[in-house]
Amino acid sequence: MPHVLTLMTTLLALPQSPAPDLIVVTNEPLVLIDNYEQTFPSNCAGHSLDTGCHETLVGIYYPSGTGPGALGYSNPPKPVLIQLRGGNTNAQTPIQYPWFQNHVLPHGFVGVDPNFAPVSPGEDYTVSLADVAYLVQYLRHYHAWLNIDPERIFVFGRSFGGIMSLAVGLGDDAQDLGSPDPVHHASSRPNCVIPFSAMADLNCLGAQTQYSEFVSLWFPISSAPGATKAQKDADSAIHWLTHPELYGRTWTPRICLGYAAPSGLPCGQYDDPHEGGFGKQLRDGIDELVVKTNEAEVGLAAKLIVTGDAYGWGQAIDEAMQWAVQQLQPQAAQFYLVPPKTPIGPTGSLQTLHVVGAQPNSWVAYFAGFGTGPAFVPGCSNLQLSLVNYLGLGWQKADANGQAKLWVWAPPAVIDLPVGLHVLNVAHCENSQILQHTWLQ
C-alpha cells in the first residue's frame, strides 16, 4: 500500500505545533502558569526575586470546560484578553484570577495575567514594552497548543498598563523573521486594545503633576525641563495613533477607551496623567486617523467609556467586555460617518458630515431623524435598522478613495437635541452606522 506509506511520510514531515513547558495549577477550571521568557523555568524554581525570573511569569486562565487539546479539551480556539497592571511593581506571582473570573472568563475569553519588567532608574518605558510585545508574540507562537485564536488578541491595561496597551498596539511591531528565536517571528501587534486612564500626550501635562516621580522614571527625556515638543510627541500615544507611517503600521487595532470625566483644564495644564481629557483627545485622534488612512473599520469600532470606574475594576470593564464581544462579530455597518466636531454657536454653523469607506465613485444619501426602526430597502435584506421619521439631507458622490463630504447648516435650535444621522448607499446595499449625536454648544 504505497499510498498509505506516502501519506504517513507526509504527516511525519509536517511541522508540529510548538509546545510550551508550562505548569497546570488546576484542571477545572483550567489554570496554567508559565514563564514567557523561556530561558527561565516555568515556576522560577531555584531563582530568587533578584534574578528577574518573576518579572515574566504569566497566568493563563480558561473558561470552565475549555482548554488545550493536549490536555483533553475539544473546544474551538478562544479569543484572548491580556490584562496589564498599573504602577511599576509586580506581585511575586500573578494574582488577578478573581478579577478575570468575574469579568472576563464569562464572556468566553481566555484570560492572560502577566508580570512584565518594571522600569529602573536609567531606563524608560520601552523596557516594559519589550516584555509586553514578547508576550503577544509568545501567545501567537504557541496559539495552536494553547488553543487560542491568534487573530483575536485583546490587550487591556490601566494607568501605566494602559500606556503599554497603546504602545504595543500603535508603535513598532517587534516581529523579526530573521531572529534565531522563533517566538520573534510572530507579530507583536494585538488586534484590539482597551486602555483605561492612560496618559496620551506629554505636551498636555502642566509644570506640577501628580505621580511626577513615575512620569519622570518612565519618560526621562520627554518629561525633563526644556524637553521639546518633538521629544514629547515621540513618547505620546496620540502621536503614535495619528502617525502610523512613523511606525510601519499598515493597519490599526480597534480601540475602546476608558476614562474619567474631563477635569475641564486645558491641554498644557493637566495636573494628573490620568486626566479624563485624554479620552476625548484619543477619540478625536481615531477620527483623524480614519480620514487619513481610510480605516473605516477602526472608526466603526471606536468607543469611549466615560466612567467613575476609570481603572476598570467593575462596571466599566463589563461595558468594555461587551464591546470586546461585539468585535468578534461582523460589523453591521460597511462605512463610517465621522462625528461632526464643529460647535453650533448662537447663530448656527456649517457642519461637515464626512463618510469614510464607501464604494469609490458611488452616490450616498444622508438622512437625519429622531428614532430607529426596521429598514425597508428592496433588494437589501442585509440592511436591518435605519432611522424613522427621517429627513433627507442630500446626496454626495464618494471620491476614488470612498470618502464623501456633505455640508449642512445646523441652526441653534438643535443644541441639546439628540439627533440620529445615517448614510445609505442603496445601489450597493451599504450603510454607515446610525450616529446618535447631540450638539452641546
Side-chain angles (χ1 to χ4, degrees):
M1 297 188 297
H3 62 288
V4 175
L5 292 175
T6 301
L7 177 60
M8 291 178 64
T9 302
T10 301
L11 289 173
L12 290 172
L14 289 174
Q16 300 299 304
S17 298
D21 182 22
L22 42 70
I23 295 168
V24 177
V25 180
T26 64
N27 281 296
E28 182 52 41
L30 182 64
V31 173
L32 308 176
I33 193 167
D34 198 6
N35 199 311
Y36 59 93
E37 176 48 71
Q38 296 164 92
T39 58
F40 289 122
S42 301
N43 61 355
C44 289
H47 289 259
S48 60
L49 288 174
D50 60 5
T51 64
C53 179
H54 296 79
E55 293 177 2
T56 45
L57 288 179
V58 58
I60 304 174
Y61 314 137
Y62 288 79
S64 180
T66 68
L71 298 180
Y73 296 89
S74 59
N75 56 278
K78 292 286 186 183
V80 173
L81 184 123
I82 304 168
Q83 179 204 230
L84 301 180
R85 59 160 174 81
N88 199 47
T89 56
N90 296 307
Q92 185 168 337
T93 56
I95 59 172
Q96 292 298 332
Y97 180 76
W99 180 86
F100 281 94
Q101 187 179 41
N102 289 332
H103 302 290
V104 177
L105 305 186
H107 296 282
F109 285 70
V110 172
V112 176
D113 183 14
N115 287 341
F116 54 92
V119 180
S120 299
E123 300 175 336
D124 64 17
Y125 75 96
T126 59
V127 171
S128 299
L129 177 59
D131 276 2
V132 174
Y134 193 78
L135 171 64
V136 175
Q137 293 175 306
Y138 162 93
L139 293 171
R140 286 211 168 101
H141 180 69
Y142 289 114
H143 76 270
W145 193 97
L146 293 168
N147 200 14
I148 58 175
D149 188 336
E151 298 309 319
R152 291 180 170 182
I153 295 179
F154 293 66
V155 179
F156 163 76
R158 53 177 62 91
S159 188
F160 183 55
I163 297 172
M164 291 298 93
S165 72
L166 288 164
V168 75
L170 304 176
D172 292 315
D173 194 329
Q175 184 178 44
D176 180 2
L177 297 177
S179 172
D181 179 356
V183 173
H184 278 306
H185 298 175
S187 171
S188 67
R189 197 179 306 290
N191 306 95
C192 300
V193 295
I194 309 174
F196 270 45
S197 295
M199 183 175 63
D201 189 350
L202 274 83
N203 294 284
C204 287
L205 295 183
Q208 302 294 324
T209 62
Q210 302 175 49
Y211 311 105
S212 59
E213 67 279 10
F214 288 116
V215 175
S216 297
L217 177 68
W218 294 327
F219 306 100
I221 295 175
S222 52
S223 67
T228 65
K229 183 180 186 301
Q231 289 171 323
K232 293 180 179 181
D233 284 345
D235 286 342
S236 295
I238 186 65
H239 191 73
W240 309 333
L241 171 66
T242 54
H243 292 83
E245 71 282 358
L246 298 179
Y247 307 99
R249 201 174 75 238
T250 57
W251 61 275
T252 300
R254 299 177 185 183
I255 303 173
C256 176
L257 305 160
Y259 282 86
S263 67
L265 292 170
C267 177
Q269 296 181 24
Y270 289 177
D271 61 6
D272 186 344
H274 308 108
E275 162 65 43
F278 287 132
K280 183 179 186 306
Q281 185 183 29
L282 286 169
R283 182 62 190 82
D284 288 345
I286 292 171
D287 287 341
E288 179 183 336
L289 169 82
V290 168
V291 170
K292 181 177 182 178
T293 64
N294 240 26
E295 294 180 280
E297 65 281 1
V298 178
L300 288 169
K303 183 178 181 66
L304 171 60
I305 301 170
V306 179
T307 175
D309 176 30
Y311 296 103
W313 291 111
Q315 168 270 328
I317 194 60
D318 291 336
E319 187 174 348
M321 287 306 304
Q322 292 293 340
W323 173 87
V325 170
Q326 292 169 5
Q327 306 319 303
L328 305 179
Q329 309 301 322
Q331 291 179 336
Q334 291 79 39
F335 53 88
Y336 178 57
L337 174 57
V338 180
K341 313 296 183 187
T342 306
I344 291 179
T347 60
S349 67
L350 196 64
Q351 299 289 323
T352 304
L353 302 182
H354 192 158
V355 161
V356 178
Q359 285 282 337
N361 304 308
S362 65
W363 286 92
V364 295
Y366 290 75
F367 302 91
F370 300 100
T372 58
F376 300 100
V377 181
C380 294
S381 59
N382 63 302
L383 301 181
Q384 300 294 320
L385 190 69
S386 190
L387 295 173
V388 295
N389 301 320
Y390 57 81
L391 170 70
L393 299 177
W395 293 76
Q396 191 57 266
K397 188 176 183 180
D399 63 18
N401 293 317
Q403 299 198 21
K405 293 180 182 179
L406 181 73
W407 288 270
V408 297
W409 184 261
V414 302
I415 295 175
D416 292 327
L417 187 65
V419 176
L421 300 169
H422 197 201
V423 184
L424 296 177
N425 181 336
V426 177
H428 293 89
C429 292
E430 291 183 331
N431 67 326
S432 75
Q433 82 281 24
I434 297 177
L435 175 62
Q436 302 292 348
H437 188 75
T438 303
W439 283 271
L440 300 179
Q441 54 184 340

